[in-house]
Amino acid sequence: MAVWRLFKNYFGWHYRLALVAWWRIYRNLLWFLFNFFSVALLFRTLAAPWRRLNEAYPKGFNPGVIVETLVVNGLMRLFGLAVRSVFLLAAALVLTVAALGGWFILALWLVAPGLILLWLILGFYLAFLS
């Protein structure tokens, strides 16, 4: 009777409590990575100048200086867009790997007791019956 209770408690923990804990860990990991890369902020400031580097427009009317300032500000915005795009791609890659890795670990966790039993039977077979 004690062995039955041991198996019941183990499988109750393995397939109920541990899965709830896995879900919390998985959700926290994805939340951490999303905030670590500041994905929302990167999207909001996608076209902002890099490190707020921009030229102030002149007070008077001087077409050469205005065009020069416009070109510099445009280049800083393009550079900011490029750098933020690289960070967003890195974030997407890391989040995808973490998401797929979490589901792989879940699948492995679900079949682990069966795999252990299968390997135990296979080990006895190879050790004593072959």
Side-chain angles (χ1 to χ4, degrees):
M1 192 65 171
V3 173
W4 169 251
R5 197 170 358 147
L6 175 72
F7 280 114
K8 183 181 153 214
N9 288 339
Y10 169 73
F11 284 110
W13 170 80
H14 189 88
Y15 288 111
R16 190 173 39 99
L17 296 176
L19 291 179
V20 171
W22 171 85
W23 177 249
R24 286 184 186 142
I25 292 168
Y26 180 70
R27 193 178 58 197
N28 285 337
L29 176 68
L30 293 181
W31 177 87
F32 167 76
L33 290 173
F34 188 83
N35 287 300
F36 179 77
F37 283 101
S38 303
V39 174
L41 180 64
L42 286 174
F43 271 120
R44 277 197 313 268
T45 62
L46 193 57
W50 177 245
R51 301 223 179 221
R52 293 188 232 151
L53 293 175
N54 57 2
E55 297 287 324
Y57 286 97
K59 300 270 185 195
F61 181 71
N62 188 347
V65 175
I66 291 174
V67 169
E68 178 183 312
T69 305
L70 186 66
V71 168
V72 168
N73 287 343
L75 286 174
M76 287 297 116
R77 286 186 184 273
L78 282 175
F79 185 70
L81 176 73
V83 170
R84 287 181 182 93
S85 296
V86 167
F87 280 118
L88 283 171
L89 286 174
L93 178 69
V94 169
L95 281 167
T96 302
V97 167
L100 293 176
W103 287 106
F104 175 74
I105 288 172
L106 174 67
L108 191 62
W109 181 261
L110 292 175
V111 299
L115 285 177
I116 291 170
L117 183 63
L118 178 71
W119 291 336
L120 186 65
I121 293 169
L122 184 63
F124 275 120
Y125 174 76
L126 293 174
F128 299 116
L129 298 177
S130 63

